[in-house]
Amino acid sequence: MKKDILSVTDLTKQEFADVLNLASDLKEKRKKGILGDLLYKKSLGMIFEKASTRTRISFETGMFELGGHAIFLNPNDMQLGRGEEIKDTARVLSGYLSAIMVRSFYHKTVEEIAKYATVPVINGLSDKEHPCQILADVMTMRETFGEDLSSLKVAWIGDGNNVCNSLILSSLYTRFEVRVSTPKGYGPDGDIVKSTIEAGGNVRFFESPDEAVLGSDVIYTDTWISMGSENEKEKRLRDFSGYCVSRKLMEKASPKAVVMHCLPAHRGEEITDEVIEGKNSIVWRQAENRLHAQKALLVKLLHK
């Protein structure tokens, strides 16, 4: 029976932990030059509606290092770009591939591909969630603070976007407190917040970034202007004034607080150059861990 990962919550709490444990193991083995062939002759089709650096390179490298093969699929180079039904594409690709990864503007596109595909489908990013990013994020937090993250306070500053949504959902497994501060009208998905709180998650909202970061252990931000919202740039820059993660803001956090950013970063907007390059930044390890977390996820889905 196939398993799709469209949301963080498509993994059980035990599966979530198993993926992270395997990711750490694969990372250590890679350092020693041990790659293996866990996905020998497996193939991953990668559909990219949105441009990518980390998602494409980490998935391609991950499949190669595990003995498999990844195929980059631009909709404009496929019949999908000429009007072929999504469900038809999903059925056809299922006959060729071991799994499909989709990076899409719309979550409903990922859901439709998963509905008609007979192989596992992974959400590589949609407007609703970014589960692969959060697996890497939690892996990075575990490396920094240890496996038990339940006492952490994680402050999200800026746009309540897809990554913020997945971070909130992941708190159901990690038990850390998510402290959200966004401008009015830019909050995370209401249904996700509601379901997380109803399931026992700890999500708190703060009017100002200063309040959110007070005593926090992790300060997390992301670009204010995601792909697809470029035409809103000037308005967003005005609306997000005061939400930049700066040295002054970091001084209000826990003395050992770390900074995270899922990249790409727009220095001088959501984060200063001084902070992202500073001693508290774990951004580059966070980015590297996309490779290890996704390798582990692929192994869990495809290795028989």
Side-chain angles (χ1 to χ4, degrees), residues 2-11 100 102 107-115 120-126 128-132 166 169 297 301:
K2 77 159 183 157
K3 186 175 184 68
D4 302 315
I5 307 299
L6 311 189
S7 166
V8 171
T9 54
D10 286 327
L11 293 165
I100 301 169
V102 189
H107 194 71
K108 63 183 181 182
T109 300
V110 186
E111 290 179 322
E112 186 170 1
I113 290 173
K115 180 179 179 181
V121 174
I122 299 170
N123 177 6
L125 174 145
S126 71
K128 186 175 182 181
E129 275 203 62
H130 199 347
C132 293
S166 290
L169 287 171
L297 182 62
L301 291 175

Side-chain angles (χ1 to χ4, degrees), residues 241-277:
S241 177
Y243 284 81
C244 178
V245 176
S246 62
R247 180 176 59 81
K248 184 178 179 180
L249 186 67
M250 288 298 300
E251 288 174 353
K252 300 179 185 301
S254 170
K256 295 183 179 180
V258 297
V259 176
M260 301 183 75
H261 192 307
C262 55
L263 302 175
H266 295 80
R267 301 170 190 232
E269 292 180 10
E270 75 275 1
I271 194 167
T272 64
D273 188 78
E274 179 183 24
V275 170
I276 199 170
E277 295 289 355

Side-chain angles (χ1 to χ4, degrees), residues 160-177:
N161 59 16
N162 48 4
V163 180
C164 182
N165 290 335
S166 290
L167 178 69
I168 288 169
L169 287 171
S170 73
S171 70
L172 292 171
Y173 301 153
T174 62
R175 312 311 299 177
F176 52 47
E177 178 183 294

Side-chain angles (χ1 to χ4, degrees), residues 45 54-55 89 103 107 198 247 251 266 280 300:
R54 281 150 292 278
T55 299
T89 299
R103 183 176 170 93
H107 194 71
E198 288 176 348
R247 180 176 59 81
E251 288 174 353
H266 295 80
N280 299 97
K300 289 294 183 182

Side-chain angles (χ1 to χ4, degrees), residues 27-300:
K27 183 175 182 176
E28 286 304 309
K29 287 180 177 176
R30 186 177 191 258
K31 288 179 182 178
K32 298 173 183 177
I34 304 169
L35 298 177
D37 59 355
L38 293 172
L39 297 183
Y40 179 63
K41 290 192 176 180
K42 299 291 185 182
S43 55
L44 174 70
M46 307 184 301
I47 300 175
F48 283 90
E49 290 184 349
K50 302 180 80 169
S52 166
T53 298
R54 281 150 292 278
T55 299
R56 177 177 178 179
I57 295 171
S58 56
F59 268 111
E60 281 196 18
T61 302
M63 286 297 293
F64 170 76
E65 290 187 352
L66 293 170
H69 178 59
I71 305 169
F72 174 78
L73 302 170
N74 183 329
N76 293 327
D77 297 331
M78 303 165 62
Q79 293 300 330
L80 191 61
R82 299 180 62 214
E84 183 172 40
E85 295 282 343
I86 292 173
K87 59 186 177 182
D88 295 346
T89 299
R91 288 168 173 143
V92 170
L93 293 181
S94 295
Y96 303 145
L97 303 167
S98 307
I100 301 169
M101 188 284 296
V102 189
R103 183 176 170 93
S104 176
F105 283 101
Y106 305 110
H107 194 71
K108 63 183 181 182
T109 300
V110 186
E111 290 179 322
E112 186 170 1
I113 290 173
K115 180 179 179 181
Y116 291 98
T118 56
V119 296
V121 174
I122 299 170
N123 177 6
L125 174 145
S126 71
D127 58 341
K128 186 175 182 181
E129 275 203 62
H130 199 347
C132 293
Q133 179 64 56
I134 292 304
L135 283 168
D137 295 342
V138 176
M139 178 183 178
T140 310
M141 290 184 211
R142 289 184 7 152
E143 290 177 345
T144 306
F145 297 101
E147 289 190 18
D148 184 359
L149 303 176
S150 60
S151 64
L152 285 190
K153 292 180 173 63
V154 182
W156 177 273
I157 309 300
D159 190 13
N161 59 16
N162 48 4
V163 180
C164 182
N165 290 335
S166 290
L167 178 69
I168 288 169
L169 287 171
S170 73
S171 70
L172 292 171
Y173 301 153
T174 62
R175 312 311 299 177
F176 52 47
E177 178 183 294
V178 181
R179 303 159 65 90
V180 180
S181 181
T182 67
K184 187 176 181 180
Y186 293 95
D189 185 280
D191 290 337
I192 285 177
V193 173
K194 183 173 183 289
S195 65
T196 300
I197 293 173
E198 288 176 348
N202 190 355
V203 186
R204 299 179 62 193
F205 290 86
F206 297 83
E207 287 191 10
S208 75
D210 286 3
E211 294 174 307
V213 304
L214 190 64
S216 291
D217 306 288
V218 178
I219 314 303
Y220 198 157
T221 190
D222 191 8
T223 178
W224 299 336
I225 305 151
S226 299
M227 279 181 286
S229 61
E230 290 87 354
N231 61 331
E232 304 172 9
K233 181 175 181 177
E234 295 306 317
K235 180 178 186 302
R236 282 176 170 259
L237 289 177
R238 291 193 302 271
D239 291 346
F240 283 89
S241 177
Y243 284 81
C244 178
V245 176
S246 62
R247 180 176 59 81
K248 184 178 179 180
L249 186 67
M250 288 298 300
E251 288 174 353
K252 300 179 185 301
S254 170
K256 295 183 179 180
V258 297
V259 176
M260 301 183 75
H261 192 307
C262 55
L263 302 175
H266 295 80
R267 301 170 190 232
E269 292 180 10
E270 75 275 1
I271 194 167
T272 64
D273 188 78
E274 179 183 24
V275 170
I276 199 170
E277 295 289 355
K279 61 183 177 61
N280 299 97
S281 174
I282 56 172
V283 171
W284 317 116
R285 182 150 48 92
Q286 178 189 2
E288 179 196 333
N289 283 341
R290 285 289 301 276
L291 170 65
H292 310 301
Q294 287 163 190
K295 284 170 70 173
L297 182 62
L298 288 165
V299 170
K300 289 294 183 182

